[in-house]
Amino acid sequence: LTDWFITLFPAPGPGKDFSVQTNYQYAITPAGSAFEVRLQPFTLQFDGREGLELGPVIFKFTPQTGETLGITMQLPAKAPVMSAGKVDAELTIGSQQLSAVWNRKLANFDSFDLQLSDLALEDAAKQGRLTLAGLSASSGRSEEQGNWVESFRCELRRLAFTDATTQWQVDTIGGRGEASGTNPKRFLELRIKVQQGLKHIDTLPP
């Protein structure tokens, strides 16, 4: 599952505008009734020159009944944005809650919940500040008599930017969606093919 998470981000390579640098040889450590994985470093790289040092990213996996696995993820409270070896800006996260239930049989999430609040990105010279009061995203999945339904929603609250000459704010950006059908495995196969197609597009030369 950790491998699957890492593959959501492109690996470093020539000509890539976005990639992730992390420890692919991670260790799985028992932690009570759970198992812990720590990805350090975990750096999101942009244009090969700038990077958001987001590590360590800590996962905890807790086996549940049947085919499900409980998951939590923890990000650092502060993460520097580096440019040419120097701190260019800093990302802060006031509070966070990231949890999910993974269905191993379907290789899909039964539920997912992300709650981040009081996010801020400020440059080292403190000349500009981008803030986000809250970011939430969730999804849920249910099955009944052979039919399945997946619903999801996301919302950004009070996105604002301030510098010496400019101020702007967006109160709310949100979205909701739903997918349903009678063959969840077929839907999963189609989604995997779409993801593979998107990755192929990313590798094409400009």
Side-chain angles (χ1 to χ4, degrees), residues 69-197:
L69 188 67
I71 305 168
T72 62
M73 184 175 74
Q74 181 180 344
L75 303 172
K78 295 184 177 182
V81 178
M82 306 298 293
S83 180
K86 297 181 179 179
V87 176
D88 190 50
E90 185 177 65
L91 171 68
T92 59
I93 303 174
S95 66
Q96 58 180 293
Q97 178 181 328
L98 302 95
S99 61
V101 175
W102 179 259
N103 190 312
R104 288 180 284 192
K105 182 179 179 180
L106 295 176
N108 191 20
F109 288 106
D110 280 349
S111 64
F112 173 88
D113 185 65
L114 164 68
Q115 303 290 333
L116 302 176
S117 63
D118 299 325
L119 291 90
L121 181 64
E122 187 172 30
D123 67 289
K126 298 188 180 300
Q127 296 180 345
R129 182 178 175 86
L130 180 68
T131 59
L132 181 63
L135 167 62
S136 62
S138 63
S139 69
R141 179 182 175 280
S142 62
E143 284 190 49
E144 185 175 352
Q145 297 181 346
N147 298 319
W148 61 270
V149 176
E150 284 190 16
S151 59
F152 61 92
R153 66 173 185 83
C154 60
E155 184 179 73
L156 285 74
R157 300 183 300 279
R158 295 197 301 278
L159 175 65
F161 176 77
T162 302
D163 66 7
T165 61
T166 307
Q167 291 185 352
W168 60 260
Q169 177 174 309
V170 178
D171 186 59
T172 304
I173 302 174
R176 294 175 181 271
E178 183 177 285
S180 61
T182 58
N183 190 333
K185 290 187 177 181
R186 175 58 177 164
F187 175 67
L188 176 62
E189 291 170 357
L190 292 173
R191 182 163 57 187
I192 291 174
K193 288 182 179 180
V194 171
Q195 292 172 343
Q196 291 173 341

